[in-house]
């Protein structure tokens, strides 16, 4: 017979068993007794204990988050899962919000968590990455019916007001200086990166089989977003045409490749000297790109003399990253430094941006219709005024001053003429 707190059932052997539900688990046999009265009495005792017990809270955010990140990594949803794991361990799992059951997380808890991240001094971009990661975890929880809603959906970070752009680019003169400052044949990699605008991971994972130089329209196929074979940032394969600096840099590199890397078992387009993949964070070693200070004292066995990086040798005094070569490519195309002015839509397709909104950061460099209209507008003729004013004591309004006229326009009104005359005085 069924009861509110479990059931007492007779077994085929003639004994009596108690079946109860503990927490969210299905019913299971608690114990078996010889008589029905003993089973009912024990069932009542267990029901009282379960009634006073704290209800099962459900899986916590820390437990479920680990599961989601593992699933995303194994299913190849990410081109670089290390970034998400780092954000998870440093900014979510270590926070009190991770101890909360998934079903109890509300938007107020997420906002408090973001305030704690802001108090730690994290940049807006880092906080945005963390929020997007938590949003993915909670969306997965809602899909698996562990939460009724996603508390992160309507939360947005404040817009950061800037007086300068956080990124930079090289002028044509600086591009030539940077390429000339790099050691050969590594200068060809820099020229290729400027000419194609590939992301560092895409460049490091590019295969020789995806380089197509034959035919009237040479191009490369970007199918990997990072070594060894991680998907691209948005999971899409795209073709990037080769022209100008990109073509010149690639041809010079391919000519030097057989002597630079004698072994290339993976068929990489830009292998390291021993044939392995380059680091997607530092395509060129840091001591080559930025230089390195002296290590140990002269005469010590571990002594290394200080080196000057190619950025400093090129005379670039501002902070300049490898990723800024990608900005240089887009800026050069939109500005028309390499010939034809490219439209924002064309640059968006070349760089593989998901939305044209991302590409609009370069819009101030474009030769817009507004700039064209300003250049084509001629300055209106200046209005001539008399050098001597009447001295008969009459007011300016009654003075016999010829009405100034502008060719092709109506006569100037009296009030406007008085204002102009007053300013002339």
């Amino acid at each position: 017979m069924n009861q509110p707190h479990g059931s007492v059932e007779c077994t085929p052997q003639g004994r009596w068993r108690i079946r109860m539900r503990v927490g969210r688990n299905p019913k299971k046999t608690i114990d078996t007794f010889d008589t029905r009265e003993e089973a009912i009495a024990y069932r009542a005792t267990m029901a009282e204990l379960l009634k006073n017990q704290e209800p099962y809270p459900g899986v916590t955010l820390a437990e479920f988050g680990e599961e989601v990140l593992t699933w995303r990594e194994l299913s190849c949803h990410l081109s670089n899962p290390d970034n998400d794991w780092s954000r998870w361990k440093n900014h979510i799992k270590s926070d009190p919000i991770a101890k909360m059951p998934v079903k109890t997380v509300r938007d107020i808890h997420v906002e408090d968590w973001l305030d704690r991240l802001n108090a730690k001094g994290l940049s807006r971009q880092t906080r945005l990455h963390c929020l997007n990661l938590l949003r993915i975890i909670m969306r997965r929880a809602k899909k698996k019916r562990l939460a009724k809603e996603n508390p992160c959906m309507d939360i947005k970070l404040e817009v950061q007001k800037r007086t300068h752009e956080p990124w930079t680019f090289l002028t044509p003169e600086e591009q030539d200086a940077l390429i000339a400052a790099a050691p050969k044949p590594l200068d060809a990699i820099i020229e290729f990166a400027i000419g194609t605008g590939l992301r560092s991971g895409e460049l490091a994972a590019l295969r020789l089989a995806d380089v197509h130089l034959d035919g009237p329209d040479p191009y490369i196929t970007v199918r990997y977003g990072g070594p060894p074979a991680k998907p691209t940032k948005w999971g899409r394969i795209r073709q990037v045409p080769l022209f100008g600096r990109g073509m010149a840099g690639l041809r010079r590199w391919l000519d030097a490749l057989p002597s630079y890397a004698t072994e290339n078992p993976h068929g990489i387009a830009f292998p390291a000297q021993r044939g392995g993949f380059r680091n997607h964070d530092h395509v060129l070693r840091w001591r080559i790109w930025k230089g390195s200070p002296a290590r140990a004292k002269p005469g010590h066995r571990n002594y290394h003399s200080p080196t000057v990086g190619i950025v400093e040798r090129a005379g670039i005094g501002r902070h300049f990253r490898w990723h800024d070569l990608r900005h240089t490519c887009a800026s050069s195309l939109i500005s028309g430094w390499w010939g034809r002015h490219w439209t924002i839509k064309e640059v968006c397709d070349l760089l593989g941006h998901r939305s044209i909104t991302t590409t609009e950061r370069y819009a101030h460099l474009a030769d817009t219709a507004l700039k064209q209209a300003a250049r084509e507008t001629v300055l209106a003729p200046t209005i001539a005024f008399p050098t001597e004013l009447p001295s008969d004591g009459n007011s300016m309004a009654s003075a016999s001053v010829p009405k100034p006229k502008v060719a092709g326009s109506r006569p100037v009104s009296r009030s406007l003429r008085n204002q102009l005359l007053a300013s002339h005085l």
Side-chain angles (χ1 to χ4, degrees):
M1 63 182 182
N2 296 326
Q3 297 292 338
H5 299 288
S7 61
V8 177
E9 304 172 355
C10 182
T11 65
Q13 292 78 20
R15 306 190 70 201
W16 298 86
R17 67 181 179 185
I18 303 174
R19 291 179 57 80
M20 304 186 74
R21 178 179 285 109
V22 180
R24 298 179 61 186
N25 300 317
K27 278 187 177 183
K28 65 178 181 178
T29 300
I30 302 298
D31 206 345
T32 306
F33 300 87
D34 293 332
T35 64
R36 178 172 175 272
E37 289 74 15
E38 291 177 333
I40 293 177
Y42 190 79
R43 179 188 64 88
T45 303
M46 287 295 298
E48 189 66 23
L49 292 175
L50 293 175
K51 181 179 180 181
N52 297 328
Q53 185 183 21
E54 184 179 354
Y56 176 69
V59 62
T60 64
L61 181 61
E63 298 168 343
F64 187 69
E66 296 270 356
E67 177 185 330
V68 173
L69 264 69
T70 303
W71 167 73
R72 281 167 59 83
E73 182 176 3
L74 295 178
S75 57
C76 297
H77 277 67
L78 301 172
S79 60
N80 187 13
D82 294 340
N83 290 340
D84 273 359
W85 277 111
S86 177
R87 296 174 188 127
W88 164 257
K89 293 177 181 178
N90 294 327
H91 307 308
I92 302 180
K93 186 178 179 180
S94 59
D95 191 87
I97 195 174
K99 300 178 181 179
M100 297 182 61
V102 174
K103 66 179 182 181
T104 63
V105 178
R106 299 291 182 265
D107 53 356
I108 185 63
H109 303 132
V110 178
E111 291 175 354
D112 292 342
W113 164 69
L114 289 173
D115 290 340
R116 289 191 291 271
L117 294 186
N118 190 28
K120 290 167 62 176
L122 299 182
S123 66
R124 181 184 184 276
Q125 191 62 40
T126 301
R127 287 181 281 130
L128 181 60
H129 285 317
C130 294
L131 176 60
N132 288 335
L133 178 59
L134 185 60
R135 186 178 285 125
I136 292 171
I137 294 173
M138 295 305 300
R139 183 171 66 230
R140 183 72 176 171
K142 181 181 179 182
K143 188 174 183 179
K144 298 190 71 172
R145 301 184 183 278
L146 296 177
K148 292 184 179 180
E149 59 182 13
N150 188 343
C152 306
M153 284 304 297
D154 297 328
I155 294 181
K156 296 181 180 180
L157 296 182
E158 71 284 355
V159 177
Q160 186 175 4
K161 298 179 180 180
R162 300 190 182 109
T163 57
H164 63 281
E165 294 289 354
W167 50 273
T168 185
F169 58 89
L170 300 179
T171 62
E173 295 76 16
E174 290 175 325
Q175 297 172 28
D176 295 335
L178 184 67
I179 295 172
K184 296 184 180 303
L186 300 181
D187 60 332
I189 302 180
I190 297 177
E191 186 172 18
F192 174 81
I194 293 176
T196 57
L198 294 189
R199 299 180 178 93
S200 58
E202 296 171 346
L203 187 148
L206 183 66
R207 303 300 202 272
L208 288 172
D210 292 326
V211 176
H212 307 278
L213 298 179
D214 299 331
D217 300 312
Y219 66 94
I220 57 174
T221 301
V222 179
R223 66 178 73 251
Y224 303 115
K230 296 177 181 178
T232 59
K233 184 174 183 178
W234 303 114
R236 297 179 298 182
I237 300 174
R238 74 181 191 277
Q239 292 182 352
V240 176
L242 292 173
F243 58 92
R245 286 197 184 276
M247 172 66 81
L250 182 58
R251 289 194 181 279
R252 289 197 298 114
W253 172 257
L254 293 179
D255 292 339
L257 181 58
S259 58
Y260 178 80
T262 56
E263 296 182 2
N264 190 5
H266 305 288
I268 312 170
F270 298 95
Q273 204 155 9
R274 296 183 180 180
F277 288 97
R278 293 182 178 273
N279 192 314
H280 69 278
D281 287 328
H282 302 289
V283 176
L284 301 184
R285 292 184 179 274
W286 188 253
R287 61 181 177 82
I288 298 177
W289 182 254
K290 282 288 190 177
S292 61
R295 189 167 65 182
K297 295 182 179 180
H300 194 276
R301 63 177 183 177
N302 293 329
Y303 172 73
H304 286 276
S305 60
T307 59
V308 179
I310 60 177
V311 174
E312 184 178 350
R313 286 203 302 271
I316 303 172
R318 60 190 180 279
H319 178 63
F320 190 81
R321 311 159 300 165
W322 181 271
H323 191 74
D324 290 325
L325 298 178
R326 180 172 165 88
H327 296 314
T328 299
C329 175
S331 303
S332 300
L333 292 173
I334 289 183
S335 300
W337 290 338
W338 296 344
R340 172 181 172 270
H341 289 267
W342 284 42
T343 65
I344 294 181
K345 180 62 172 63
E346 291 170 338
V347 175
C348 176
D349 295 339
L350 177 76
L351 299 183
H353 286 162
R354 191 177 187 180
S355 170
I356 198 171
T357 305
T358 308
T359 322
E360 287 176 350
R361 70 178 67 180
Y362 310 107
H364 66 282
L365 300 170
D367 191 15
T368 60
L370 183 62
K371 293 180 181 179
Q372 183 67 20
R375 285 196 300 268
E376 295 176 357
T377 302
V378 293
L379 187 64
T382 305
I383 300 175
F385 294 97
T387 56
E388 296 182 0
L389 296 176
S391 57
D392 55 356
N394 294 334
S395 65
M396 298 299 300
S398 61
S400 178
V401 179
K403 296 181 180 180
K405 294 184 179 181
V406 179
S409 64
R410 295 182 179 181
V412 180
S413 65
R414 176 172 297 182
S415 60
L416 178 59
R417 183 181 60 195
N418 293 341
Q419 295 176 12
L420 294 174
L421 289 174
S423 63
H424 183 74
L425 291 175

